[in-house]
Amino acid sequence: MTATESEQTSILNPSLWDGKIYTTGWTAGSAEPIEVKEPATGSVLATVGMASAADAFAAATRAAKAQKEWAATKPEDRAAILRRAGDFFVTHAAELGEWVQRETGAIGAKAALETHVAANECFDAAGLPHHPAGDVLTSNADHWSFARRTPAGVVAVISPFNFPLILSIRSVAPALALGNTVILKPDPRTPVSGGVMIMRAFEEAGLPAGVLQLLNGGAETGAALTEAPEVRIISFTGSTAAGRKVGEAAGRNLKRAHLELGGNNALIVLPGADLAKAASAGAFGSFLHQGQICMTAGRHLVHESLTNGYVSALREKAEHLPVGDPMSGQVALGPIIDDRQRDNIHRIVEEAKAAGATVEAGGTYDNLFYSPTVLTGLDKENPAWAEEIFGPVAPVMGFSTLEEAAEIVNSSEYGLSVSILGDVGEAMKLADMVHSGKVHINEQTVMDESNAPFGGVGASGTGSRFGGYTANIEAFTETQWLTVRPDIAPYPF
Ligand code: NAD
């Protein structure tokens, strides 16, 4: 088969979108196109168009015009489009998964998770158009009274590089299902997995033109969406620093912002826990996708009776997990997304050492491949304990009592995910004491299911939630109080 023939049989078919963004069809953006690089090899995978701030304002106006008709589309027709988009991710999982692997530097299992969850997000969202749209209220007045859910209007989705497909589709699918139009702005390092794939899925599913637009772009394009008057909701997933700026702009412009931000998640090993299983959970929690996950276990708190054994088991794993090009199929860890992220990881490890930490394993890199790293000898102020590293680094500290563990967990400004390994009764006591959007007992910190309400507290976010009917309806609709009388009411004036 020639290259052109294989391109044409490809569902992503780059000749459709090469150098383009999507407004009412694939078209050139006003900013300079950029190359998408494969972090493992440095090869150029594709070129995508880039949207300017002016493109973002124009997209918002277009989205507002398209929204009324989309909201008036029959629920069964909206549901069918969502189901077909879900089928797209199932049918083309192999081709899409390979893009995810190469573009994000992911091992096969992580890529398969992204396409699997993307399908489920669409299938779950397909239930939303027929979900009850509010409540019938009782009233002391002589009228019928309803609280009904109406679409919010235009939703902007801004997503990061690490799990670009899931972190985009988890907002795009329910927002569309509930009658909103959507503008998606993925991270410019992963615009295919975070954008093109989703756009192609809905294009193939028959979504009317203009209902979903894809604006590849950087911070300026995202910032323009926070200013555009027609955008009513911003669903942002990314760093706490950028989230603060988005939240400020949203506040100034009186928009709703759902902010899903960073984390510094604790994995706690209770006395009596099975050491081998705990170290396996800890290694997975810290090293999956090179630690570039908001839920990565960034602090391992191990009961003092088990600390030595836990550190040796974790060290053993870190020293033997293979690191390399995920396309070789033989690795557990792939590359870091780019040198800026890698340099930040290494800066924190070096600063941790300077502040007294011991490097039990790793602490080195080759190009973008960072070795799984285990650190001990830390105090709460050590940068490797206090900061979100976003790399494959497992800092370990001991504790003696549940109260002390809770105090250490809660001393972080973040509050996204906590894992507690060991006796369930003790774990439940600790779960009651920690401030966290998610707590997982006898599982590690990285957990996401399309029907579970996902989100953090404190510096991890504004407490908004994605996932499941209740959270998604809350996130992507407005509530209208509607009262009705058979005749005009009498008044004393
Ligand atoms: P980032 O904040 O730099 O970028 C995320 C997205 O925001 C990108 O699309 C970027 O272009 C855009 N952006 C940046 N500045 C902006 C601005 N001022 N206005 C509008 N948009 C802007 O994030 P990153 O460092 O690339 O991603 C990693 C971070 O994301 C980590 O902190 C991680 O914990 C967090 N994250 C959180 C979750 C969650 O669900 N809580 C999930 C994944 C990642």
Side-chain angles (χ1 to χ4, degrees), residues 157-171:
V157 177
I158 301 175
S159 58
F161 71 83
N162 59 334
F163 265 78
L165 176 53
I166 294 179
L167 299 176
S168 300
I169 196 90
R170 74 176 178 183
S171 294

Side-chain angles (χ1 to χ4, degrees), residues 138-156:
T138 57
S139 175
N140 291 315
D142 191 12
H143 59 203
W144 295 284
S145 182
F146 309 91
R148 63 174 183 169
R149 293 291 188 161
T150 57
V154 180
V155 174

Side-chain angles (χ1 to χ4, degrees), residues 153-360:
V154 180
V155 174
V157 177
I158 301 175
S159 58
F161 71 83
N162 59 334
F163 265 78
L165 176 53
I166 294 179
L167 299 176
S168 300
I169 196 90
R170 74 176 178 183
S171 294
V172 170
L176 288 176
L178 290 162
N180 303 285
T181 46
V182 175
I183 303 169
L184 170 60
K185 194 214 79 64
D187 189 286
R189 288 164 288 186
T190 50
V192 181
S193 308
V196 172
M197 265 178 209
I198 293 171
M199 201 61 248
R200 287 287 297 126
F202 282 102
E203 202 180 16
E204 291 286 309
L207 188 73
V211 173
L212 173 63
Q213 301 178 69
L214 172 62
L215 302 190
N216 305 314
E220 332 67 57
T221 317
L225 291 171
T226 66
E227 299 294 340
E230 296 92 343
V231 173
R232 298 314 310 151
I233 289 183
I234 301 150
S235 177
F236 175 88
T237 305
S239 62
T240 298
R244 283 188 207 282
K245 291 187 194 154
V246 170
E248 278 168 22
R252 182 163 24 82
N253 292 304
L254 303 179
K255 300 175 195 288
R256 281 159 71 197
H258 306 311
L259 304 176
E260 290 294 346
L261 310 176
N264 191 6
N265 312 289
L267 176 137
I268 301 130
V269 184
L270 297 177
D274 180 314
L275 257 189
K277 286 182 181 169
S280 170
F284 188 87
S286 277
F287 303 144
L288 179 67
H289 200 45
Q290 300 78 262
Q292 301 170 112
I293 309 179
C294 53
M295 298 168 276
T296 289
R299 297 180 292 160
H300 297 234
L301 257 179
V302 184
H303 189 258
E304 58 195 9
S305 61
L306 298 177
T307 316
N308 290 343
Y310 183 83
V311 169
S312 4
L314 199 58
R315 188 198 302 121
E316 175 76 11
K317 291 198 181 291
E319 283 169 350
H320 290 98
L321 285 170
V323 184
D325 182 351
M327 293 311 289
S328 72
Q330 303 299 321
V331 301
L333 284 79
I336 302 299
I337 192 75
D338 62 14
D339 47 12
R340 193 172 59 92
Q341 289 288 334
R342 182 213 50 212
D343 291 346
N344 191 49
I345 296 165
H346 201 56
R347 169 191 66 80
I348 297 175
V349 171
E350 289 297 310
E351 285 179 15
K353 275 158 60 181
T358 304
V359 180
E360 302 281 349

